Amino acid sequence: MALKSKIELKDVFSGLSSILIVKGGIADFATVSPDFDLPVTVDTLSMSQEAPTLNRTKVHGLQADWCVTATPGDFTFSAEVPSVHKDLVTYFLGEGNAVATSTINGETYEGISATLNSVKLNMGIVLLSEDKSHAVLMKKLAVYATPNYENGSTSPFSFTLTGSIELEDSTGTASEDDNIAFLTKKAA
């Protein structure tokens, strides 16, 4: 194989135009049908994997490691969703009970109610680059949503999503084991 130059290796995912959610996760990278184009507060989306823990075996008389094994680092996902739309509240909390009329200090309101629960959400994530020419997909994340209203004068009520990749048993091809995809839009 010939040496590839930096220019040949330039294939960059930069900026972010949309964060799409697939309820239950993405079954196959070939066809993805998102349920939400999730509103996420700027600079709150984070996906990272910690460095692996190296397990070194030393042998008397040798300076270098005899052998090295590794334990993969934890993968973490987090985002802040500044919306109390009934579809999102129902999804995040696992229920949405209709409140037809509520009178507060002489004013009437309507909406939904829910029990605060730690509901495990299995979701797939699609990140679209700023120019929509690239997509990064995470097949299945185990995510939990918690309500957040820390600074009422400057920030709206939101839900903080936190989670990690969750692997599934594979029954078929090698690509079924894959849990992340890096895609480039095909030329028309």
Side-chain angles (χ1 to χ4, degrees):
M1 184 168 118
L3 173 72
K4 290 204 177 223
S5 71
K6 290 183 220 38
I7 300 302
E8 290 174 302
L9 295 173
K10 186 174 181 181
D11 190 5
V12 179
F13 182 101
S14 182
L16 192 58
S17 65
S18 287
I19 300 153
L20 308 174
I21 300 297
V22 179
K23 291 180 184 179
I26 298 170
D28 186 344
F29 289 132
T31 303
V32 179
S33 299
D35 296 293
F36 297 116
D37 186 352
L38 203 61
V40 172
T41 305
V42 171
D43 294 335
T44 64
L45 175 70
S46 173
M47 294 192 310
S48 62
Q49 185 168 7
E50 295 175 4
T53 301
L54 299 180
N55 308 302
R56 303 167 189 267
T57 302
K58 298 284 189 183
V59 173
H60 292 287
L62 298 177
Q63 294 298 315
D65 293 332
W66 183 253
C67 70
V68 177
T69 61
T71 304
D74 291 336
F75 180 89
T76 57
F77 164 84
S78 64
E80 182 180 308
V81 180
S83 177
V84 292
H85 189 280
K86 66 180 183 177
D87 291 345
L88 291 176
V89 171
T90 301
Y91 180 54
F92 293 157
L93 298 179
E95 67 178 359
N97 303 306
V99 177
T101 302
S102 175
T103 303
I104 303 170
N105 201 25
E107 299 289 330
T108 57
Y109 299 85
E110 64 182 351
I112 62 169
S113 64
T115 303
L116 290 177
N117 286 318
S118 288
V119 177
K120 179 181 175 183
L121 305 170
N122 292 315
M123 64 173 62
I125 301 275
V126 178
L127 304 177
L128 294 179
S129 65
E130 188 172 42
D131 62 3
K132 297 184 181 176
S133 67
H134 289 80
V136 173
L137 290 74
M138 304 296 292
K139 195 176 264 186
K140 186 174 181 183
L141 297 173
V143 175
Y144 292 86
T146 53
N148 181 20
Y149 194 55
E150 293 182 6
N151 193 345
S153 63
T154 60
S155 301
F157 193 98
S158 63
F159 286 90
T160 301
L161 307 180
T162 53
S164 184
I165 291 176
E166 188 168 75
L167 298 178
E168 296 180 316
D169 292 334
S170 175
T171 58
T173 65
S175 65
E176 285 185 6
D177 289 340
D178 296 346
N179 47 31
I180 188 169
F182 303 91
L183 307 176
T184 303
K185 191 173 192 176
K186 286 186 173 184

